[in-house]
Amino acid sequence: MFNRYPDWPNLGHIAVDSRTTYGQLWDGVPQKANYMAILFEEYDGVGAQFVMDLISRSHILGARRALSNSPLVQMLNIRNFPTVALFRRDHQQALYMQRYTNQTVKDIDDAITNDMEQGGRRAPILTTTLAPVTTTTNTPLIDCHSHPERCRDMYYVSETDMLKAMRMALLDEVTRVPGAIRGDNFTNLHEFMTLLSNHFPVLSFQNDIRRMRAKRTTSVILRNSERARLVFTHMREFLEGRKSIGSVSSDEYRRQFESVERVYASPFPVNSTWQHCKGSSPMYRGYTCGLWTTFHALTVHTYIDTIKDDYVNPMKPLSTIQGWVKSYFGCEHCRNHFMHMTTTLFPLNERRVRHPHDMMTYLWRAHNIVNNRLHGDSTEDPQFTKMQFPAPFLCPTCHSGGQFSRRQIRNFLLRYYGSIKPHNRLADQRLAF
């Protein structure tokens, strides 16, 4: 059987039909790999060896094989076999397509290097580090203590995860109870929408975020999030128009939200799978992971956006998040624990949150309190255990003498939540045969 080990590549031939999406072609390719090479063969020939030869590049390149009767052959107009085609995640057309020879692996290296240089993304191709293979079912667990380099690639901030979580938070959660949204619930919704409209991340920074004061040019625009920010702004203005009466019906709010998201070309990828927040089985992670990710990203990007301001109220984003949780988080015992923590166990107050960077570190400490409480709980994903974050394999310098270094933690939070993996819109599109 294939995929017996966590780092074992997928040696099976790709199965494609009329419902297959471009993203599904990438099933089994490590999330960090931005390129995929497919070898097309007439029979069970050189394909397996080709896949094995590319294992050392799995941090950047995935390899698959397909038979000559695959619909992909007609789609790509392949006439000779074996042939190799190279793809990039965000680009459905082949970057390279040639007959397979002894030079093919070198040609693929050159094609990837050239593509990176044209896109301004230089990175080494050759390595002996093996990344985990993501599969659709029965994903083998990685031991992060024994193989930290494999686990490192599993941790990142995903635009897809945040957008999916925010639509669920603002539409499903807010309208879960029929009737009117009024009083504190109305105020808390308006405040949270204001926070999103001002500071939901729309840029992913590729350089050292600590140099932000001097240089803001090395960034990537998050296109879906840019449109989502317009939805948040429109909904904030919609709620402001109801402030005089202090209420809005759930039905009217839902109709308005669904109308506005259509105006801005539906920026929330509801049909996409979770990325970093995908659990080892469907019962784990998902929405709550996306929610926490967004909360952290909001504090970090509020800090980045206001770094030059003369006055910043570091309590504001935290109290706004607390208000949304109090009014709308559907998991009742989760909500009660969160409110107990932020009011009694680890109170959110001006003694703990005095400086602008405290908005980031307070939420980080609060989340680790939650992790400590849930460690060993039945809801804990065995692949993503409730460790004290970040683990040493993510930030070695954050740990010193058995304690966290506050300065290094701040730097890590800026790097981690400042660099966001963009949503891959092509992944949701069906292949055009």
Side-chain angles (χ1 to χ4, degrees):
M1 264 184 92
F2 299 131
N3 296 335
R4 289 178 57 192
Y5 305 103
D7 57 356
W8 195 251
N10 187 343
L11 298 177
H13 290 101
I14 294 176
V16 173
D17 59 30
S18 60
R19 295 169 297 178
T20 303
T21 66
Y22 182 63
Q24 287 171 332
L25 292 182
W26 293 75
D27 285 350
V29 175
Q31 287 288 346
K32 286 290 185 179
N34 205 32
Y35 298 88
M36 175 176 60
I38 304 176
L39 185 141
F40 297 87
E41 55 190 347
E42 289 185 286
Y43 52 88
D44 193 0
V46 298
Q49 185 60 52
F50 171 76
V51 172
M52 297 298 291
D53 288 343
L54 294 179
I55 287 180
S56 63
R57 296 156 174 80
S58 60
H59 71 300
I60 199 168
L61 171 68
R64 299 296 307 274
R65 55 203 293 237
L67 288 171
S68 58
N69 61 358
S70 169
L72 292 173
V73 170
Q74 182 178 359
M75 175 181 165
L76 296 170
N77 196 28
I78 296 173
R79 299 177 183 273
N80 300 299
F81 302 93
T83 287
V84 174
L86 177 70
F87 299 90
R88 192 176 66 217
R89 279 193 191 270
D90 62 351
H91 191 74
Q92 192 168 337
Q93 294 181 340
L95 303 176
Y96 162 96
M97 191 162 61
Q98 296 291 336
R99 284 288 301 273
Y100 175 78
T101 69
N102 292 336
Q103 286 289 111
T104 294
V105 172
K106 181 181 182 302
D107 292 344
I108 289 174
D109 287 346
D110 292 341
I112 293 176
T113 300
N114 291 337
D115 185 64
M116 285 182 167
E117 289 176 347
Q118 291 173 12
R121 302 179 305 276
R122 300 190 68 121
I125 292 177
L126 297 178
T127 182
T128 56
T129 300
L130 300 180
V133 173
T134 304
T135 56
T136 54
T137 58
N138 298 324
T139 304
L141 299 181
I142 311 292
D143 184 346
C144 293
H145 294 289
S146 302
H147 306 286
E149 73 284 353
R150 299 179 191 172
C151 287
R152 192 178 302 120
D153 287 348
M154 296 162 58
Y155 286 83
Y156 57 92
V157 177
S158 160
E159 179 188 19
T160 303
D161 290 347
M162 292 194 292
L163 289 171
K164 283 175 66 69
M166 282 304 94
R167 190 181 190 274
M168 294 172 72
L170 295 174
L171 193 59
D172 300 337
E173 296 273 51
V174 169
T175 62
R176 181 167 38 84
V177 179
I181 302 169
R182 58 163 59 95
D184 287 345
N185 290 345
F186 181 90
T187 301
N188 290 338
L189 177 59
H190 175 259
E191 292 291 329
F192 190 62
M193 199 72 76
T194 300
L195 176 63
L196 291 169
S197 66
N198 290 333
H199 300 298
F200 188 79
V202 294
L203 292 176
S204 176
F205 299 100
Q206 305 301 308
N207 64 330
D208 188 341
I209 206 77
R210 289 171 295 176
R211 299 167 60 187
M212 194 64 64
R213 292 176 184 270
K215 189 175 183 180
R216 295 182 64 106
T217 56
T218 54
S219 59
V220 173
I221 297 174
L222 303 172
R223 298 296 182 184
N224 277 54
S225 294
E226 200 173 42
R227 301 201 315 275
R229 179 94 78 95
L230 294 173
V231 174
F232 302 147
T233 300
H234 189 112
M235 292 305 297
R236 181 199 69 204
E237 293 171 351
F238 167 76
L239 293 171
E240 286 173 353
R242 303 295 190 279
K243 284 184 74 172
S244 59
I245 57 176
S247 71
V248 62
S249 74
S250 293
D251 288 342
E252 183 184 7
Y253 172 86
R254 173 180 283 277
R255 288 195 300 271
Q256 185 69 18
F257 191 100
E258 291 176 339
S259 174
V260 172
E261 69 174 344
R262 286 195 295 270
V263 168
Y264 294 108
S266 302
F268 305 100
V270 293
N271 294 322
S272 295
T273 59
W274 297 103
Q275 301 296 304
H276 161 68
C277 288
K278 181 181 180 181
S280 60
S281 81
M283 66 181 289
Y284 298 124
R285 293 165 64 76
Y287 172 55
T288 53
C289 167
L291 205 58
W292 271 111
T293 299
T294 308
F295 290 165
H296 285 292
L298 284 170
T299 63
V300 169
H301 285 262
T302 299
Y303 175 80
I304 293 171
D305 294 342
T306 60
I307 198 167
K308 295 182 180 179
D309 292 1
D310 293 331
Y311 172 74
V312 176
N313 179 3
M315 286 279 291
K316 186 62 176 176
L318 295 169
S319 61
T320 297
I321 290 169
Q322 182 190 50
W324 181 89
V325 171
K326 179 181 179 181
S327 290
Y328 297 108
F329 194 21
C331 172
E332 184 176 1
H333 73 273
C334 306
R335 180 174 68 247
N336 292 340
H337 279 298
F338 185 89
M339 294 308 298
H340 175 70
M341 176 183 63
T342 56
T343 58
T344 305
L345 186 64
F346 185 54
L348 174 60
N349 55 42
E350 293 179 355
R351 183 174 68 84
R352 286 188 169 87
V353 185
R354 291 179 293 175
H355 309 289
H357 59 73
D358 290 338
M359 68 177 81
M360 301 184 296
T361 54
Y362 174 86
L363 194 63
W364 162 74
R365 291 182 65 188
H367 197 171
N368 271 341
I369 291 173
V370 175
N371 286 340
N372 186 63
R373 179 175 61 82
L374 293 178
H375 183 55
D377 187 82
S378 61
T379 61
E380 183 178 43
D381 190 323
Q383 182 60 81
F384 296 89
T385 56
K386 301 293 184 181
M387 61 185 176
Q388 293 298 285
F389 185 84
F393 66 78
L394 283 175
C395 183
T397 59
C398 291
H399 298 259
S400 177
Q403 301 291 326
F404 281 115
S405 164
R406 292 188 180 184
R407 179 181 294 275
Q408 292 300 327
I409 285 294
R410 290 198 299 269
N411 292 338
F412 169 80
L413 293 174
L414 286 166
R415 290 193 305 271
Y416 188 79
Y417 291 99
S419 179
I420 299 169
K421 181 179 178 181
H423 172 64
N424 179 11
R425 285 168 287 179
L426 275 177
D428 301 327
Q429 296 182 11
R430 290 187 177 180
L431 298 172
F433 295 113

